[in-house]
Amino acid sequence: MSGLPASPADWTVRALDLGGVADKAGLMDRIAGALALPSWFGRNWDALADVLGDHQLMPEGAAVLVVSGWRDFEARNAGEWATAVEVFDQAAAITVLLSLGGSDDHPRQGP
């Protein structure tokens, strides 16, 4: 994963909302839409790793992808989510951040 620049003003942020995504195909479609990937994007793990490592395909500047609504996808597709996280972690051309809060679907537990 690439490092974030010191100032958020330098970030080029894209949002990836996984709310309602049921499977890997839906995940790949949402990623393609969020990052405006070309039509030839293969929608498989190797193709995703390739595009996330290609600076020419990512937004200009310090590219950041903020993923929200991922908890339900993880619960339904634990293996696919683990692979996605591994691919996100290896991304050389974009930093992927997982949003941990702000969802009414997952109220905080505890005190």
Side-chain angles (χ1 to χ4, degrees):
M1 191 180 320
S2 62
L4 287 172
S7 172
D10 296 329
W11 301 359
T12 302
V13 179
R14 297 291 182 265
L16 172 61
D17 181 4
L18 296 182
V21 174
D23 56 18
K24 177 183 171 187
L27 172 67
M28 293 292 173
D29 287 343
R30 290 276 177 97
I31 293 170
L35 295 175
L37 296 178
S39 60
W40 52 259
F41 168 58
R43 288 175 167 72
N44 61 59
W45 297 122
D46 289 336
L48 181 61
D50 288 345
V51 299
L52 296 180
D54 188 337
H55 290 277
Q56 293 180 336
L57 293 175
M58 293 298 102
E60 290 189 28
V64 177
L65 180 65
V66 179
V67 184
S68 64
W70 57 271
R71 292 179 192 269
D72 286 338
F73 184 85
E74 177 189 34
R76 287 190 303 268
N77 303 283
E80 298 288 3
W81 181 246
T83 302
V85 168
E86 184 177 319
V87 171
F88 292 157
D89 187 48
Q90 298 300 313
I94 192 166
T95 298
V96 180
L97 304 176
L98 302 181
S99 174
L100 299 178
S103 173
D104 293 336
D105 295 333
H106 300 284
R108 293 182 182 204
Q109 300 295 319

